[in-house]
Structure formats: C-alpha cells, structure tokens
Amino acid sequence: MHTPATLVRGGTSKCWLFHQVHVPTELGALEKLLVAAYGATDPVELDGVGGATPTTSKAAVVSASPEPGTDIDYLFAQVGIGTGSVEWTSNCGNCATGVALYAVAKGLVPITGDRTRVVMRNMNTGAVLEGLVDTTGGVAHDFGDQTVPGTRAGGVAVGLTFRDPAGRTTGSLLPTGSAAQELRIGAADPILVSMVDAGAPVVLVDATSAARTGAETLEQMRADAPWLRTVRHAAAPLMGLLKPGEEPGDAVPKVGLVGRPVPYTTTLGERVAAQDYDVSVRMLTMNAPHPAIGLTSAVAVAAAGLLEGSVVSRAAGGPTEEWLRLGTPAGVIAVRCSDLSDGRPGRVTVQRAARLLADARIYVPEPGRPQAA
C-alpha cells in the first residue's frame, strides 16, 4: 500500500505532512501507519522515511478546519526512534511553519496579495497559531532567501505567531503558582527552576544553581540528558501533567538550561558575543539536545522573561520587554511578545522560513508484515 505525503522543512525541523483524507482518522490505526512508514522500530529508521533524529522524525496530519476563523487543523506526531511508538501530547512550531506554507502552496488557503495569513489550530494542545507566508506577487513560492539560525539554506519567509499561548495545557502560565522555586533531584542540593506553560509546558533550570552555564555545547548537553530527564520527571507531577499511577514521559514538560549571556561559537562555527543576545538557552528535544530551540520552548522562555523573579529574568538582569534574544547552539533567535496583559503575552512571534522539499508516495508495509530491526 502507499500513502501520499509532502516533505517540508520548517525552520530547523523536517516534517512529513499527510492530508487527512489519505490517512486513518482513528489514532491507533494512524500510529501504526506512521510507525511503518518511518521504520520507527529501527533505531536508525533505515527501512522508512524517518530521519533518525527527534527534529527529523516528525509528522503532521493536515485538514481544513470547521472552526470559524480558523483555516487549518493539524495533528502533530513525534515519531519515536527505535521505539515503535508515537508521542501525541505536544506541538511543534517549526512543523507549523511548514504547515502554513503547505496550506498556501496546495490551495487550502487562498493567496491574499504579498502576504497570506494562515490561521492554524493544533489538535494536540488546542493552541492557535498564525503563519504569515510570503506570497510576494500574489503567488506561492518554491524557494526564498529567508534564513534561520541552524542552517544557511534559504526558505520562504513565514512569520509564526502563537495566540494567547499561556496555560493552554495546564490552565495557568505558572502551574505551581511560583515564578521560580527550588526543586530537589535525589540527594543533590536543590536547583532553582521556573515551571511555565506557554506554547508548551516547560521546566527551565537556572544554570548557575546547577553548576552549569546555559551555554553548554551539544556534547555537554548530551552528557547531561539523563540528569535533565530526571528534572523533567520530577517537575511533571508538580505541573499537573501526570495522572495518579501514570509513568512520566519524555515529551512534556520540555526541559532545558537558562543562563547569562557569554561569548560562544555556534554549531556552524560563527562567533557570538555576549552583548549580541539576552539569555543563553539549551533545551532537550525528547532525550537529545535540540540543535537550536523548539519554537514552543522559545515561547515559554520569552513568556517567563516577562515575570519578575523567573530564572529567565534573573539571567537577563531583570524582567524583559517586547523583544528577547535567545542564544541557542545554532545562533541567536529573537522572540517578540506583544499584546501584554497582566504580564501575559497575547501574541508571541518568531520569524521563520519553510520550504516544500518533495511530494511523494510512501510505500508502507501491510499490517503484520515484519519490519526491519
């Protein structure tokens, strides 16, 4: 059997997009199809279209939205690598960037001049996003010159805005009621963390309190991944993300380090001075270091920066204002918070780029057929 799909690059992620009419609506059947298509029982996903890294083993199912004022619904899937499973509880802003371009390029949303707005609803979390796609000349573009930290390749410019991102999962920007608090991990001294729900539930560790800088290399983050995983699992019940008796997962809350700006070299070999950005951020994606930062995490960091006493405002030297520049392994990413009310942003925007890479038919083994292992 085969399934039509489109491969997109959104920001620093790659994502296969499936139109809802071509895949099962029942979640269990959809998961089986994605596991087979990606070769997800194999740690290198050799016998499938998965990319064998968390940022390239993603999928989304796209459909026209019945919701008034919303153009597109999309269901995001983080396809496990070697696990034979799919994680359904999170969102991906980079993939949403690709969904916006896909919606315009495939005629799901009519072009409206030099810029076309696509309003999207993430079905995993209920988050509502706007993609402002460059359609200069009144046409959809295959290529563009917009770049983002993490790749020198250009793409079509897409401004991605998260609408009212606070509390979408837990009901509160600060699920524990505190901008920062101590968290004890095992017998070690407690660390200072901020538990924030904006864009996604995130636990941000004050790097100094953990004897780290927040500007660690990807190799250092890889070594710290098991420890950060314990931080995630300790924070999850405090944030109301675990039901009694449930085992903690590795998707939410997202977890990372935040520190003061210091000079560093990006993964592309570019030098960044301390004065070029406001806070250092190093995040995990699942259990691997993120090569840049997930956009939902960037939203949470920016929202936390607005709060007196959070680990982000401490690292920045005080509460931040409209713009916050994040120093990530890939380079500096600027995030804009606007429509502020009681310290909560009504809109959080990041400038991104996307490109459609291929239209394909993915050949999927019939159910019950052995997979590569």
Side-chain angles (χ1 to χ4, degrees), residues 161-166 306 337-341 343-348:
T161 296
F162 292 72
R163 289 185 183 174
D164 296 319
L306 301 170
C337 293
S338 58
D339 293 354
L340 303 183
S341 176
R344 296 162 59 108
R347 297 171 66 86
V348 181

Side-chain angles (χ1 to χ4, degrees), residues 89 229 232-234 236-237 241-253:
T89 63
R229 187 170 183 259
R232 169 193 284 142
H233 291 175
L241 298 171
L242 280 183
K243 296 177 182 177
E246 277 188 339
E247 288 294 319
D250 289 321
V252 291

Side-chain angles (χ1 to χ4, degrees), residues 13 17 23 25 38 61 64 81 90 117 127 130 161 171 206 221 227 249 269 271 345 355:
S13 292
L17 303 183
V23 296
T25 56
Y38 279 57
V61 177
I81 302 166
S90 56
R117 190 179 307 276
E130 293 178 12
T161 296
D206 175 75
M221 284 295 292
W227 170 70
R271 293 289 298 165
R355 190 165 78 81

Side-chain angles (χ1 to χ4, degrees), residues 259-282:
R260 295 175 181 174
V262 295
Y264 74 101
T265 302
T266 72
T267 49
L268 291 178
E270 298 160 344
R271 293 289 298 165
V272 178
Q275 61 267 28
D276 292 341
Y277 66 105
D278 303 308
V279 292
S280 297
V281 187
R282 299 293 185 270

